[in-house]
Amino acid sequence: MKTKITELFGIEHPIIQGGMHFVGFAEMAAAVSNAGGLGVITALTLRTADALANEIRRCREMTDKPFGVNLTFLPVVSAPDYPGYIRAIIEGGVKVVETAGNNPQQWLPALHEAGIKVIHKCTSVRHSLKAEAIGCDAVSVDGFECGGHPGEDDVPNFILLPRAAEELKIPFVASGGMADGRSLVAALALGAEGMNMGTRFIATKEAPVHENVKRAIVAASELDTRLVMRPLRNTERVMRNDAVERLLEKERTLGSSLKFEDIVAEVAGVYPRIMQEGAMDAGAWSCGMVAGLIHDIPTVKELIDRIMGEAERIICTRLAGLVTA
Ligand SMILES: Cc1cc2nc3c(=O)[nH]c(=O)nc-3n(C[C@H](O)[C@H](O)[C@H](O)COP(=O)(O)O)c2cc1C
C-alpha cells in the first residue's frame, strides 16, 4: 500500500510502532521494520547517549530497513541529555525521529540538516497545527483512547482525526485504539495516511517484555484501563491493577492538593519491574483501551501481514461491494 507516509519514510506498509518506555528496544524496532513497518527505539529508556548509540548499532545489525527513534519531552525530575541523544541519532544515521510531549522546535534545525524526518505526536488539532507551523514533516494524532498520555482534551479519534484532516496540510497517522485491518481502513477513511500502534505491538512474540505483560493485555477488556494523574494535568491511561487503585484513592482523598511526591511509589521507576520482571502490580503502566481488541500473541510479521491482508479485503471486497451493489 502506498500513502504519503510510506513515501515520506521509505517503508512498505503505513504502520508505525510508537515509542514505548521499556518496550522500544532494538528487538522491537527491528521486528517492526523487518515486517515492512517503521520500528522505533525509545531513547529515554536508554539512560545515556552512549547507550542509545549502542542500541541504534544493535538495531542496524538486526535490520537493513529504515527505523526511527522516539524522543519524549515530558516533565521529568532531572532533564535527560537531549543534546547527547540528538548527536547519537544523527551520528547513528537514523532517518526518522518521533518526538512527543513538549514542543520539539529547538531540535528541528539539527535534525533536518542531517536529513532526518520528524513526526511529532499530538493529542489535539491545536498542537498538530503548531507542529506543522514549526516545520515538522508529519504528525501522529493520538486520540483519547490511546495508551500513555492522551492529553487533557478527551477527544476520541472518530472526531479528532477528521478534525485534523480538515486543518492539516502535512500528512498524519492515526494513533490510539489501532489494532487491525479495520483500524487501518477506518484511519485512512478519516483522512490519515497510516496508523501508529503501541499496545498492540506489546502483545507480540518479539516484544522484549515479560510474558506476564503480554498475557495481561490479552486478558484485559476495553473496560480495564484507568486515567491517572489527571489532577496533575499529566493524565496517563494505564492498565488497572492494585497499585493504580491505590493511586486513584490518593487522588480522591487529596483532591487538588495532590503532588507528584504523593504518588512516587506508584509511578516512579516502576517500568523495569513490570516490563522485565513481570511484577504486574508493581505500579502504573501505560496501556490503551485497544486491549479489548487484542486476543493473541502473534509474531510482528504475522500481525502486520494480517493487518494488510484484512485492510485490502475490506477495501476491495466489502466496501467496493457496497457501492456496486
Ligand atoms: C507501555 C507503553 C509505553 C509508552 N511509552 C511512551 C513513551 O515513552 N513515549 C511516547 O511518546 N509514547 C509512549 N507511549 C505511547 C505510544 O507510543 C502510542 O502513542 C500509544 O500507545 C498509542 O495508543 P495505543 O496503545 O492505543 O496503540 C507508550 C505506550 C505504551 C502502551
Side-chain angles (χ1 to χ4, degrees):
M1 187 180 285
K2 201 164 156 182
T3 74
K4 286 181 188 157
I5 284 293
T6 60
E7 300 283 284
L8 184 66
F9 297 147
I11 53 178
E12 192 183 343
H13 306 305
I15 300 175
I16 301 175
Q17 166 246 316
M20 285 182 281
H21 200 36
F22 278 90
V23 181
F25 291 103
E27 286 78 7
M28 180 84 264
V32 175
S33 289
N34 280 332
L38 184 77
V40 173
I41 294 170
T42 311
L44 288 195
T45 304
L46 290 319
R47 286 281 160 238
T48 62
D50 280 350
L52 174 61
N54 190 47
E55 202 66 10
I56 292 169
R57 265 194 303 275
R58 285 203 321 116
C59 195
R60 204 169 292 297
E61 280 163 18
M62 290 183 249
T63 184
D64 54 7
K65 304 267 179 63
F67 60 87
V69 172
N70 168 284
L71 271 178
T72 302
F73 306 107
L74 281 179
V76 278
V77 186
S78 55
D81 177 17
Y82 288 115
Y85 285 133
I86 299 275
R87 220 172 22 251
I89 288 166
I90 293 172
E91 287 171 5
V94 171
K95 290 292 167 226
V96 183
V97 166
E98 179 200 50
T99 52
N102 289 343
N103 185 327
Q105 187 165 17
Q106 74 177 112
W107 312 107
L108 290 183
L111 294 171
H112 278 154
E113 207 165 294
I116 296 170
K117 305 285 184 216
V118 177
I119 178 165
H120 187 56
K121 192 152 52 193
C122 303
T123 57
S124 69
V125 174
R126 170 172 95 253
H127 291 147
S128 302
L129 283 171
K130 182 73 188 170
E132 179 176 276
I134 63 173
C136 291
D137 302 280
V139 179
S140 197
V141 176
D142 221 10
F144 183 51
E145 307 87 332
C146 73
H149 293 268
E152 311 302 326
D153 291 348
D154 302 357
V155 182
N157 268 335
F158 244 88
I159 308 298
L160 190 58
L161 298 174
R163 279 289 298 121
E166 284 175 5
E167 305 264 351
L168 285 174
K169 290 184 195 66
I170 54 172
F172 67 94
V173 297
S175 178
M178 305 288 135
D180 50 34
R182 299 171 299 182
S183 321
L184 178 57
V185 176
L188 296 171
L190 294 173
E193 298 284 334
M195 68 179 181
N196 179 64
M197 302 195 296
T199 305
R200 174 64 268 198
F201 277 123
I202 304 177
T204 58
K205 292 225 162 58
E206 293 93 334
V209 302
H210 198 281
E211 285 301 310
N212 289 356
V213 183
K214 305 180 188 186
R215 281 193 218 116
I217 291 173
V218 171
S221 87
E222 63 276 21
L223 302 176
D224 289 327
T225 70
R226 295 289 179 269
L227 295 174
V228 297
M229 293 193 281
R230 182 127 268 192
L232 302 176
R233 292 190 64 75
N234 185 28
T235 300
E236 183 179 358
R237 186 179 296 284
V238 298
M239 175 73 90
R240 174 169 76 99
N241 63 20
D242 289 350
V244 167
E245 293 309 325
R246 258 195 333 270
L247 197 170
L248 289 171
E249 185 53 35
K250 288 183 194 178
E251 291 187 0
R252 275 190 291 272
T253 315
L254 294 170
S256 56
S257 67
L258 181 87
K259 293 189 195 54
F260 183 73
E261 297 78 66
D262 299 319
I263 56 169
V264 162
E266 284 80 24
V267 300
V270 297
Y271 268 72
R273 294 196 48 213
I274 294 159
M275 295 297 174
Q276 292 168 345
E277 294 166 28
M280 299 316 296
D281 285 319
W285 58 281
S286 294
C287 179
M289 293 173 120
V290 73
L293 294 175
I294 298 172
H295 310 301
D296 61 356
I297 304 173
T299 67
V300 169
K301 182 166 168 35
E302 282 162 359
L303 175 66
I304 290 186
D305 286 350
R306 187 165 80 195
I307 291 171
M308 295 313 299
E310 190 187 4
E312 280 172 30
R313 273 194 307 280
I314 294 173
I315 296 168
C316 300
T317 309
R318 177 153 186 269
L319 298 185
L322 292 179
V323 289
T324 54

